[in-house]
């Protein structure tokens, strides 16, 4: 104290902070016993004890004692080497005591103890190898999760004027990543997103998905035209894909309020869910081949224009959803089930669909499945949204006639199709037609 006051004036000397250590205050024997009890397998111990008890009650000589080896063998599947050795030691003690009492120190007792020793050592080795494989698998899973977050970056619940929800399930549950892909990118040209499916599975499909997403994220920022974004992806895939590889995809853009642009390249049609109710399958007016197969068709894909206003939703998905079968080999009726679970919360809708999909297939999917639901926020949910009449007028340009306008470079422009409403699936599951397509040419 004097030294502290002499050098530091008013400061007390520092003392090490003592924290209670669990089990430190108890005797060494009690501490070892508690650790041993914590690692002791309960079920194998009960099995060994039950076999010894049956031998005592039955009094049938050495008949039951070889079954004591079941204890350490079972412990190897659930516990580490220490637990296996503990069960083996218990089985050896009980076997030796019962063997000496019934047959003395003879060959039968020695044979039983030798079998218990051999099974215990083999089970301990198997348990050590199993633990090593589990650690390796945990490391692989952590790497797969890191790769998934790098390739399929998390999408926030709110992006610009939209609320977004995503559900993804890989068929290889241990890997937690597959060939389905999705991305949503805010750009100077509006919100843009892609949902696609790579042909094949495994690591090659993941590599192609990473390539598509990388090109999409870059092109979405650079290209003002959505068809130019698709063209960039197509050229990149043409240089890098094998002859049998391709990617089906839907690319969506939100260039202005009240309107969505959709380019479908051989993918399942998105489902438009108007705020007024019903489910509309947005079929491509002119089917386009998947990405990577443009060389087979000497025509560009068609740009679809959809009205998208307050409370409207758009569901994009992969074929792993609609091709999922139950025990009766019936496909999952996505459009009908979406109509049942309509809600203003995209997360609730996808949670209900995902749970129902797993129930439909019996708990495990046989193909990768991705769902992405986009909902236009209303005025009361955050940022202001244009009124519906004005937005719909902007979203539905009228055709000016059969003439084919030219682009700025003098070439014929690509076709643009404006959708009003088409083939809806109501809440009863029946199909109806609200309005026809109004087709024209633009760009």
């Amino acid at each position: 104290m004097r030294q502290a006051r002499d050098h530091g004036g008013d400061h007390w000397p520092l003392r090490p902070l003592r924290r209670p250590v669990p089990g430190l205050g108890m005797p060494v024997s009690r501490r070892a016993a508690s650790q041993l009890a914590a690692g002791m397998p309960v079920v194998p111990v009960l099995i060994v004890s039950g076999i010894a008890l049956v031998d005592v009650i039955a009094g049938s000589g050495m008949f039951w004692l070889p079954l004591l080896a079941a204890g350490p063998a079972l412990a190897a599947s659930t516990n580490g080497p220490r637990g296996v050795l503990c069960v083996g030691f218990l089985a050896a003690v009980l076997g030796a005591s019962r063997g000496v009492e019934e047959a003395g120190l003879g060959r039968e007792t020695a044979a039983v103890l030798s079998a218990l020793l051999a099974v215990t050592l083999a089970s301990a080795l198997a348990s050590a190898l199993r633990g090593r494989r589990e650690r390796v698998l945990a490391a692989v899973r952590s790497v797969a999760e890191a790769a998934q977050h790098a390739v399929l970056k998390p999408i926030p619940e709110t992006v610009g004027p939209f609320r977004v929800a995503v559900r993804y399930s890989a068929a290889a549950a241990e890997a937690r990543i597959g060939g389905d892909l999705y991305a949503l990118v805010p750009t100077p040209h509006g919100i843009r997103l892609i949902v696609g499916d790579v042909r094949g599975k495994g690591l090659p499909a993941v590599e192609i998905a990473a390539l598509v997403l990388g090109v999409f994220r870059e092109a979405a920022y650079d290209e003002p035209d959505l068809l130019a974004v698709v063209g960039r992806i197509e050229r990149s895939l043409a240089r890098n894909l094998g002859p049998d590889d391709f990617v089906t995809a839907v690319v969506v853009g939100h260039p202005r309020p009240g309107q969505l642009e959709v380019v479908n390249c051989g993918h399942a049609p998105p489902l438009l869910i108007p705020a007024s109710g019903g489910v509309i399958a947005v079929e491509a007016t002119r089917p386009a081949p998947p990405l990577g197969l443009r060389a087979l068709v000497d025509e560009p894909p068609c740009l679809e224009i959809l009205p998208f206003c307050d409370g409207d939703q758009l569901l994009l998905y992969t074929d792993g959803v609609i091709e999922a079968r139950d025990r009766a080999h019936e496909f999952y009726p996505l459009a009908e089930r979406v109509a049942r679970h309509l809600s203003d919360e995209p997360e609730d809708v996808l949670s209900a669909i995902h749970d129902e999909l797993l129930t439909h297939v019996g708990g495990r999917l046989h193909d990768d499945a991705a769902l992405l639901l986009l909902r236009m926020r209303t005025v009361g949910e955050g940022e202001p949204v244009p009124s519906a009449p004005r937005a719909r007028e902007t979203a539905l340009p009228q055709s000016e006639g059969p003439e084919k306008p030219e682009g700025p470079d003098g070439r014929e422009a690509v076709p643009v199709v404006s959708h009003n409403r088409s083939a809806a699936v109501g809440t009863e599951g029946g199909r109806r037609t609200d309005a026809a397509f109004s087709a024209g040419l633009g760009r």
Side-chain angles (χ1 to χ4, degrees):
M1 296 290 293
R2 291 179 180 177
Q3 294 178 358
R5 290 181 178 178
D6 291 341
H7 294 283
D10 298 330
H11 297 285
W12 296 92
L14 297 177
R15 296 181 180 179
L17 180 62
R18 295 182 179 179
R19 295 182 178 178
V21 179
L24 188 60
M26 64 177 61
V28 176
S29 59
R30 289 182 57 190
R31 191 161 63 246
S34 65
Q35 293 177 356
L36 181 63
M40 181 69 72
V42 177
V43 175
V45 168
L46 293 178
I47 291 176
V48 170
S49 302
I51 293 173
L53 181 61
V54 170
D55 182 73
V56 171
I57 295 174
S60 55
M62 304 289 290
F63 179 77
W64 295 99
L65 295 184
L67 296 179
L68 292 173
L74 178 61
S77 63
T78 57
N79 294 86
R82 179 183 299 179
V84 174
L85 293 176
C86 291
V87 176
F89 177 76
L90 176 62
V93 170
L94 293 177
S97 62
R98 294 301 304 159
V100 170
E101 182 178 347
E102 295 177 355
L105 292 175
R107 293 183 178 181
E108 294 183 0
T109 303
V112 170
L113 294 179
S114 299
L116 287 176
L117 178 61
V119 172
T120 299
L121 293 179
S123 301
L125 178 61
S127 176
L129 295 177
R130 179 184 56 80
R132 182 179 179 182
R133 287 194 299 268
E134 288 180 351
R135 289 190 294 271
V136 172
L137 180 58
V140 171
R141 284 184 174 179
S142 64
V143 172
E145 289 179 352
Q148 183 182 28
H149 285 292
V151 176
L152 302 177
K153 296 182 178 180
I155 297 178
E157 295 182 358
T158 302
V159 181
F162 301 116
R163 297 186 62 184
V164 189
V166 178
R167 279 290 184 278
Y168 179 82
S169 297
E174 294 79 7
R176 302 186 182 182
I177 189 170
D180 287 2
L181 58 95
Y182 61 84
L184 188 148
V185 182
T187 72
H189 316 293
I191 305 295
R192 286 175 171 176
L193 61 100
I194 183 173
V195 171
D197 186 5
V198 180
R199 177 190 176 275
K201 299 179 181 179
L203 185 58
V206 176
E207 293 176 352
I208 296 175
L211 173 64
V212 172
L213 291 176
V215 177
F216 168 76
R217 292 187 179 108
E218 180 180 358
Y221 275 92
D222 296 341
E223 302 292 346
D225 193 331
L226 192 65
L227 286 171
V229 175
V230 177
R232 285 267 294 269
I233 300 174
E234 176 67 35
R235 290 191 296 272
S236 178
L237 291 179
R239 294 192 301 268
N240 295 280
L241 289 187
D244 297 329
D245 296 329
F246 59 86
V247 180
T248 65
V250 174
V251 184
V252 180
H254 181 249
R256 58 190 63 87
Q259 178 177 307
L260 287 182
E261 295 179 345
V262 180
V263 179
N264 192 330
C265 298
H267 199 74
L271 298 180
L272 178 63
I273 309 169
S276 57
V279 178
I280 302 172
V282 184
E283 301 283 353
T285 304
R286 190 183 66 191
L291 297 170
L293 301 179
R294 178 75 62 82
L296 301 178
V297 180
D298 191 19
E299 290 185 3
C302 182
L303 183 71
E304 314 280 343
I305 299 179
L306 303 178
F308 202 71
C309 307
D310 299 10
D312 288 352
Q313 302 181 64
L314 186 70
L315 177 63
L316 297 100
Y317 52 93
T318 58
D319 59 3
V321 179
I322 57 176
E323 293 181 0
R325 299 182 183 226
D326 59 8
R327 294 182 178 179
H329 301 286
E330 296 290 337
F331 291 111
Y332 179 71
L334 178 62
E336 297 178 8
R337 301 302 172 85
V338 169
R340 293 183 186 178
H341 301 295
L342 289 181
S343 170
D344 293 338
E345 297 293 335
E347 187 69 26
D348 294 343
V349 177
L350 290 196
S351 295
I353 294 174
H354 185 263
D355 295 343
E356 195 174 59
L357 178 63
L358 292 179
T359 303
H360 181 80
V361 298
R364 178 159 184 170
L365 295 170
H366 299 287
D367 193 8
D368 304 329
L371 293 158
L372 190 150
L373 183 59
L374 198 70
R375 181 179 183 273
M376 175 68 74
R377 293 189 294 168
T378 59
V379 177
E381 293 181 86
E383 298 180 3
V385 180
S387 60
R390 180 179 179 182
R392 294 182 189 278
E393 292 175 2
T394 306
L396 296 174
Q398 298 295 326
S399 173
E400 297 180 359
E403 297 182 359
K404 297 182 179 180
E406 296 182 351
D409 55 357
R411 295 180 298 177
E412 181 180 329
V414 298
V416 177
V417 176
S418 300
H419 288 214
N420 186 5
R421 295 296 185 210
S422 68
V425 179
T427 56
E428 302 299 329
R431 299 186 66 86
R432 59 187 174 82
T433 301
D434 290 349
F437 296 119
S438 59
L441 294 173
R443 300 284 181 206

